[in-house]
Amino acid sequence: MREDLSKNQDILQNSITRNESENGSAILIALFVMLLLLGFVALAVTRTSNETIASSNDAAETRAFEAAHASIEVMTRNFDKQFDIKLNPDATDIANIKLQVPPNFTNYQFIQNLDQTQASTWVVMTGQQFQGLNSLRDKWEINTLARETSTGVQVALRRDFFNNRIPIFQFGIFYEDDLEFHPGPRFDFGGRVHSNGNLFLMANTGLYFSSKVSTSAHVFTDVARNGNSWTEWNDNVYIKNASGSYVKLAHDMGSVLRDTTNGSPVFGPTMPVVYHSASWKANQEQFQGNLLSQQDPLELPIRISSKIVATPLDYIEVVKRGKNVGDLWNSGTGTVAAPTIIPITTATADGNITSSERYYQKTGIRITLADSKAKLPGCASGSGTNPVTTACGIRLDGASSGNGSEPTGTNARGYQPLAMSDGYQGTEINGERFYQSSPTGRQLWIKVEMVGVNPVTNIYAARDITADFLSLGVTEAPPNVPLKFVVTGYTSSPAKDSRSIIKLQRFTVNGSNMIMSTADNAYLTSSNWNSTDYNYVLSSSTKSGETVNTGTYGSFTGDHNTHKKTVTINNETSFTRKIVPFPINMFDTREGLYYEGTAFNTSTAYPNGKVPWNGVLSMVDIDVANLRAFFNGSFDTKFPSGTPIATALGRPLKSTDVPNANGWVFYVSDRRGDFDFDGEYDMEDIYGENDGILQPGEDANGNGTLQAEYTNEAVKYNAADSSEIPSIAAVFEHKFYRRGVRLINGQTIPGIYDAITPSNTKGFTFASENGVYVHGNYNASAIVSPGTPTPSEQYLPQNTSTHIPASVVGDSITILSNNWEDARSFTYPFNRGQRRATETFVRFAMLTGDAKTSLLATPHQGGSDERMAGGVHNFKRFLEDWGNIRLNYTGSIINLFNSRNNNGAFKCCGVVYSPPVRNWVFDSSFLEPARLPPGTPFFQSIQLTGFQRIN
């Protein structure tokens, strides 16, 4: 047993020894395996740790990228918004943009920069909407770095963009609302055409477009805006494709159609019932990109900026007076009969962009007229509606000094212009004929200001030059007809009143004989010399049996001896005769009649030659030739001393004192009779002979009410007191807000064209919130030859020093031919054939308004195209018989608003006018940046060009 035990022990020992040896190997192997496993584990742990760190870094970088992206978007938005309120941001504006960091990123630090990287340069735009137009372009760069403070992870981004400004006058035709074409005779027009409304395209003989045509809405081809069928006009419309070939736009090719039902009507009840055309895409492709619908609307800065205020601004504001502290304004809280007229505060004053967009604030000269001193710019006290106590403007119908006082004793009423240094002195105002006793306290005030940067203070300001400017005169000089009509004291050199730029009164109304009945003899005398009728007020005569004009009217009680001027008639020196000056008036048939047609008998409504006061416009004539002489320095050594501006300058006024910005803007606002002081004629009741019902198309200002105030401001068409014989209407001031501004003698206008150094070119812009009348040739004298149409390069003078960049801006624009005579407007107000036009040449960009078009209904204005605004072809207004006579026009046609002063409905073609042969064309010189008129509005477009990470 012991042997077995011993044996077993040996076996066990051997086994243990063997096992120990085996175990050692196993342990070693296990250790190796463990070390290997530990290596794998360590490697896995290291890899996991690195992946965790990398993942964390990725998340932090993503967050930093989002923060940087938010930063760059906020800066872009704020830059864009800055241009909503200011056209040219300064260093402070840029600094403020850089300081505004994105919200809700509290764990980040931002470094933000915004820099202009390229100076403003002119470039040719690419892309559908602006392709081919010139743009004033700035290049900008935004750089931003966002650093996460907890991790230090940072991301830097950069964005590049262009800021483009496109001049509005590079469009041949631009309409803010619906653009309507329905011409009878052939009409050709080059230049880009765009409407922010709809396009209505029809034509009888032919309508031809040689450039791109676009709309932000739809193209109508088979129905007019008033709902009439295309068959009334026909569908001879042609547009060039990109290959230069004319393609017909037939009546069934519009983007919307009346005669093809497809789904639901596109518009509501105020528009013609039309449906989307399923063929529009294919039809549009035929024009190869030259006919575009539903494009982005093009907006000027004043409209863009107004979207951030409670009451968006209408484009009419570009022609209206400005609102500055020191002025009065109609706050809109009253009524037309009881307006609330209060001082402007800093809170109600114009913002930067509104101020800069108004023509009223553009560099040059502005003239304002009003019924009180306080209603002139800068003449109201800050505490109420009383005027300032200091000198501010001049009163024209008070004492001769113009200081605002009433004449004392037996002295005459009316301002006496100061004498110039060479002894020249203009005729005093015949204040008896301008004075109005109603409403109580009404007076006649005027202010003339230079507007622009004061070279002494380097601050933009307006400086009063009223007395200086009026020293040139305010009267149309009497005619000098040797041996026939010679006024004593008016024939020397320089002839009295020969320098007048602003003309408010005259001695004669030339043209036809205005004596329609014996009643007229109490107010006018008419004589014919050299085949011209001269109508004048004969205030006294020693010739036995000669009729003297002693009639009185309204506030007028008789002419003062001071205003009576000795005249020799027919060389009869043995008699003593006196004549007097009187206000300048004319009759506008379109504004005076509510209806044109056989259903309205003018001889019954206005018997004995009477005319309705509604069409009698009191005019401010601007003598453009004398204005050119002023800017050329012709009067520099002649202005009086002792005036406010002469005292400030230390010497008399010179033309070079007037600021210019590549030319001048000359602005006029005449608010005489504007009882509620809003710059609008408060008589919107233009349909139905003042029926008192708000009809579609009557609400010109879009406030939802019918403006009609017949006590102080407006007059009805056919009321008992609304008409008068022509001799009264022609020679007396009236109380109504019926005002117009007329450009005369404008064949050569102020400015200069410098072909060698274009930057020296100076243009001229005339602007007014009133209706503007352009009489005779303007900035052109002839054309090389008639064409269809005559190219703008053939208008004369061409590329000479007197080929001036020009624009005319107003509530409306009416073209009066070279043959227009005010006398005939009164003698033949309803006989178009007696107001015969002659060929006329005009060259200017026009920015103005039109009437409203609505669906055809009763009542309407009669004539042709009832309830329509007349279309582009009648956008320029006419008052003469132009049948077979050419109106030669080159320029740019811009329609931004509905007229507020000349708001009468369009009327054609029996009584008011017959249309001219329209030789009209876009002025291609406007495509040259240096040849744009001063004050040209610009569209603005921000174009993103690059975005990248830079770290």
Side-chain angles (χ1 to χ4, degrees), residues 418-550:
L418 298 179
M420 302 188 82
S421 63
D422 62 351
Y424 170 97
Q425 189 169 28
T427 300
E428 61 270 51
I429 283 283
N430 188 352
E432 276 76 24
R433 288 183 178 254
F434 282 92
Y435 178 70
Q436 298 287 312
S437 61
S438 175
T440 302
R442 177 170 166 177
Q443 300 174 351
L444 171 54
W445 285 80
I446 188 171
K447 190 174 186 182
V448 184
E449 299 169 281
M450 300 188 299
V451 182
V453 175
N454 184 331
V456 177
T457 63
N458 203 33
I459 296 174
Y460 182 91
R463 292 178 288 169
D464 192 331
I465 58 169
T466 311
D468 315 78
F469 216 72
L470 297 190
S471 71
L472 296 166
V474 290
T475 306
E476 172 70 35
N480 182 13
V481 186
L483 304 180
K484 301 292 186 182
F485 192 87
V486 180
V487 182
T488 301
Y490 287 80
T491 58
S492 59
S493 182
K496 196 166 186 175
D497 297 327
S498 61
R499 297 171 180 171
S500 299
I501 294 173
I502 306 168
K503 298 184 177 182
L504 300 173
Q505 62 181 12
R506 59 185 167 192
F507 286 94
T508 63
V509 187
N510 300 342
S512 61
N513 186 335
M514 294 179 61
I515 309 302
M516 307 295 293
S517 67
T518 56
D520 290 300
N521 289 322
Y523 306 98
L524 275 178
T525 297
S526 184
S527 298
N528 184 283
W529 300 297
N530 302 333
S531 300
T532 299
D533 286 309
Y534 295 84
N535 302 279
Y536 49 94
V537 175
L538 186 64
S539 62
S540 66
S541 172
T542 62
K543 184 176 182 179
S544 177
E546 188 165 56
T547 301
V548 176
N549 311 136
T550 57

Side-chain angles (χ1 to χ4, degrees), residues 320-378:
K320 278 195 173 185
R321 282 195 193 184
K323 292 164 51 185
N324 302 310
V325 174
D327 301 346
L328 298 180
W329 75 303
N330 183 329
S331 67
T333 59
T335 64
V336 294
T340 303
I341 301 174
I342 57 176
I344 293 171
T345 65
T346 54
T348 56
D350 284 335
N352 288 332
I353 200 164
T354 302
S355 179
S356 65
E357 287 288 282
R358 292 191 192 274
Y359 279 92
Y360 170 90
Q361 298 281 43
K362 302 290 187 182
T363 299
I365 292 176
R366 71 180 178 215
I367 301 169
T368 48
L369 295 97
D371 291 337
S372 70
K373 178 180 179 179
K375 290 180 178 178
L376 292 177

Side-chain angles (χ1 to χ4, degrees), residues 590-917:
R590 169 172 169 158
E591 294 300 309
L593 291 181
Y594 77 91
Y595 189 85
E596 178 182 83
T598 56
F600 182 75
N601 190 320
T602 54
S603 61
T604 300
Y606 306 109
N608 303 317
K610 287 188 174 184
V611 294
W613 275 118
N614 214 15
V616 179
L617 273 71
S618 177
M619 306 301 291
V620 177
D621 279 357
I622 303 298
D623 192 312
V624 179
N626 283 347
L627 181 60
R628 175 177 170 80
F630 165 78
F631 280 124
N632 285 348
S634 298
F635 314 130
D636 276 358
T637 62
K638 300 176 176 63
F639 282 102
S641 58
T643 65
I645 192 66
T647 300
L649 296 172
R651 56 164 172 77
L653 177 73
K654 292 183 179 180
S655 60
T656 51
D657 295 321
V658 180
N660 80 87
N662 292 112
W664 309 270
V665 172
F666 194 92
Y667 178 88
V668 177
S669 165
D670 185 355
R671 290 195 178 181
R672 289 176 289 168
D674 185 12
F675 179 73
D676 65 345
F677 201 59
D678 63 352
E680 300 181 2
Y681 180 55
D682 292 324
M683 207 294 285
E684 294 180 330
D685 199 2
I686 60 175
Y687 295 133
E689 195 179 357
N690 306 126
D691 59 10
I693 301 172
L694 180 61
Q695 309 282 351
E698 289 185 328
D699 188 12
N701 62 12
N703 68 355
T705 62
L706 186 69
Q707 305 286 101
E709 200 283 317
Y710 300 125
T711 302
N712 300 300
E713 178 168 327
V715 60
K716 292 184 177 180
Y717 284 113
N718 203 26
D721 63 345
S722 70
S723 60
E724 201 45 82
I725 57 177
S727 58
I728 286 179
V731 300
F732 289 104
E733 174 73 321
H734 57 69
K735 69 176 183 178
F736 313 114
Y737 185 39
R738 300 305 274 154
R739 310 291 161 179
V741 185
R742 182 164 52 185
L743 302 176
I744 64 174
N745 301 327
Q747 181 165 296
T748 305
I749 67 175
I752 187 170
Y753 171 60
D754 189 334
I756 298 175
T757 309
S759 60
N760 291 335
T761 296
K762 289 183 174 64
F764 179 69
T765 289
F766 181 84
S768 177
E769 68 175 350
N770 306 104
V772 179
Y773 295 75
V774 181
H775 182 196
N777 292 349
Y778 191 86
N779 196 30
S781 58
I783 55 174
V784 174
S785 62
T788 54
T790 299
S792 62
E793 295 81 5
Q794 292 189 21
Y795 278 70
L796 303 176
Q798 182 64 215
N799 291 337
T800 70
S801 62
T802 55
H803 178 185
I804 312 299
S807 62
V808 177
V809 179
D811 179 77
S812 64
I813 295 177
T814 302
I815 305 296
L816 305 174
S817 80
N818 287 307
N819 202 41
W820 172 265
E821 296 171 340
D822 287 348
R824 286 185 172 272
S825 76
F826 286 112
T827 310
Y828 304 105
F830 315 119
N831 188 340
R832 181 201 73 198
Q834 289 292 333
R835 305 189 306 275
R836 184 69 174 158
T838 55
E839 185 171 17
T840 303
F841 308 89
V842 290
R843 173 169 50 192
F844 59 80
M846 58 182 294
L847 188 158
T848 185
D850 64 354
K852 280 191 169 184
T853 297
S854 59
L855 291 175
L856 182 59
T858 302
H860 52 70
Q861 79 275 30
S864 61
D865 306 331
E866 297 92 343
R867 285 290 182 102
M868 300 182 79
V872 177
H873 44 295
N874 294 305
F875 185 50
K876 301 178 192 65
R877 304 186 183 191
F878 307 104
L879 298 173
E880 298 168 270
D881 183 359
W882 286 84
N884 297 319
I885 301 297
R886 276 196 307 272
L887 172 64
N888 305 284
Y889 169 81
T890 181
S892 170
I893 298 173
I894 310 298
N895 176 19
L896 291 185
F897 47 79
N898 296 122
S899 301
R900 305 292 206 273
N901 284 312
N902 285 22
N903 65 338
F906 162 77
K907 303 174 188 72
C908 184
C909 298
V911 175
V912 177
Y913 79 101
S914 65
V917 175

Side-chain angles (χ1 to χ4, degrees), residues 562-573:
T562 299
H563 303 305
K564 297 179 180 180
K565 312 300 178 185
T566 300
V567 61
T568 300
I569 298 175
N570 293 328
N571 204 29
E572 295 176 330
T573 58

